[in-house]
């Protein structure tokens, strides 16, 4: 059976083929037409291990209930200017049909909720994030978010703080910015609060960490 593929990854990157170039973010679907060589460049901005998910898709499947993820994907493609729009829509439809056909929910084959939240925070560290904003970005309800985070034994506050601290750690090591400036750029309200949280997580003060890594 002839097959296309859809790829998703936890990294940022770009895909090029037929002189077209498109960029993607963590968790976004990347359509690869059959019998076509493409170039895909993927990278993680924080040094995490790179994860790539490959899904084979095929047509001629019976229709299944439409999910929020399906609606979002179709809407994004419909509003795009790509020349293969109809082919991509058919491929996405087939992909979701196959997911339901095998009784495997889409979210189980893609990134976890935590992995979807992390890049959102990294892109806007100074933003005063709320759970309602995250739910809007991920197209899920607050109840679904709470259940997902509970299942992964974490909380939104913990994810938010960890992402800010990890970013601060990189800046302390790789830049000459002041600790106060790093604290502000990473979204902390004060340098003293930042120092307290940093020491609690890494068991060393920001000043001592910087001196150790000069």
């Amino acid at each position: 059976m002839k097959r296309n593929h859809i790829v998703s990854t936890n990294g940022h990157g770009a895909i090029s083929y037929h002189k077209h170039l498109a960029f993607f973010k963590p968790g976004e679907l990347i359509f690869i037409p059959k019998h076509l060589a493409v170039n895909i460049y993927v990278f993680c901005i924080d040094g995490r291990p790179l994860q790539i998910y490959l899904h084979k898709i095929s047509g001629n499947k019976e229709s299944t209930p439409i999910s929020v993820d399906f609606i979002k994907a179709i809407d994004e493609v419909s509003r795009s200017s790509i020349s293969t729009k109809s082919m991509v829509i058919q491929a996405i439809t087939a992909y979701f049909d196959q997911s339901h056909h095998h009784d495997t929910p889409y979210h189980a084959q893609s990134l976890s909720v935590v992995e979807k939240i992390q890049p959102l925070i990294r892109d806007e560290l100074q933003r005063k994030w709320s759970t309602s904003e995250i739910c809007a970005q991920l197209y899920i309800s607050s109840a679904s978010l709470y259940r997902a985070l509970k299942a992964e034994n974490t909380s939104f506050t913990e994810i938010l703080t960890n992402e800010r601290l990890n970013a601060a750690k990189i800046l302390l090591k790789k830049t000459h910015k002041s600790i106060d400036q790093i604290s502000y750029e990473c979204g902390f309200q004060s340098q003293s609060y930042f120092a307290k949280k940093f020491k609690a997580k890494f068991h060393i003060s920001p000043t001592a960490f910087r001196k150790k890594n000069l």
Side-chain angles (χ1 to χ4, degrees):
M1 181 178 294
K2 294 181 179 180
R3 293 182 182 272
N4 299 309
H5 293 83
I6 284 182
V7 174
S8 60
T9 174
N10 65 335
H12 295 257
I15 177 172
S16 65
Y17 64 94
H18 283 193
K19 298 182 180 180
H20 294 286
L21 179 65
F23 297 94
F24 56 84
K25 296 180 180 179
E28 292 185 343
L29 298 178
I30 309 163
F31 173 71
I32 304 178
K34 59 181 179 290
H35 308 311
L36 181 64
V38 301
N39 295 314
I40 301 179
Y41 307 90
V42 188
F43 64 93
C44 285
I45 60 176
D46 58 356
R48 290 182 304 154
L50 186 64
Q51 295 177 325
I52 299 177
Y53 306 84
L54 176 65
H55 314 283
K56 293 182 179 180
I57 59 176
S58 59
N60 302 321
K61 298 290 184 180
E62 296 180 359
S63 61
T64 56
I66 298 176
S67 69
V68 173
D69 294 305
F70 174 80
I71 295 172
K72 178 185 177 184
I74 293 298
D75 178 64
E76 289 179 347
V77 174
S78 298
R79 290 185 286 104
S80 71
S81 59
I82 59 175
S83 59
T84 55
K85 185 182 300 185
S86 61
M87 184 188 300
V88 175
I89 290 176
Q90 290 176 5
I92 293 175
T93 302
Y95 171 71
F96 279 92
D97 284 348
Q98 186 186 46
S99 297
H100 289 290
H101 180 77
H102 292 290
D103 295 320
T104 303
Y106 166 69
H107 62 74
Q109 299 181 359
S110 187
L111 301 176
S112 70
V113 169
V114 172
E115 290 172 320
K116 290 179 180 179
I117 293 174
Q118 289 170 331
L120 295 176
I121 295 173
R122 291 186 200 120
D123 287 342
E124 297 184 77
L125 288 170
Q126 293 181 358
R127 182 170 175 174
K128 294 182 179 179
W129 286 101
S130 67
T131 53
S132 60
E133 290 174 319
I134 291 296
C135 289
Q137 293 273 2
L138 300 183
Y139 292 84
I140 60 176
S141 66
S142 57
S144 296
L145 176 64
Y146 174 78
R147 286 194 299 269
L149 294 180
K150 185 177 181 181
E152 296 190 49
N153 195 33
T154 188
S155 67
F156 174 66
T157 300
E158 183 177 357
I159 297 170
L160 179 61
T161 302
N162 285 339
E163 287 305 315
R164 286 173 169 169
L165 288 173
N166 289 334
K169 188 177 182 180
I170 293 173
L171 291 174
L172 284 168
K173 187 175 182 179
K174 296 186 177 182
T175 74
H176 295 288
K177 296 179 180 179
S178 68
I179 293 177
D180 187 51
Q181 184 178 358
I182 290 174
S183 171
Y184 172 75
E185 289 184 3
C186 292
F188 290 96
Q189 297 298 312
S190 67
Q191 183 178 334
S192 59
Y193 180 73
F194 162 62
K196 177 182 178 181
K197 288 294 184 180
F198 191 95
K199 189 169 184 177
K201 178 175 175 63
F202 300 116
H203 309 292
I204 189 173
S205 70
T207 302
F209 175 81
R210 166 163 276 177
K211 289 180 178 178
K212 184 178 180 181
N213 288 276
L214 286 177

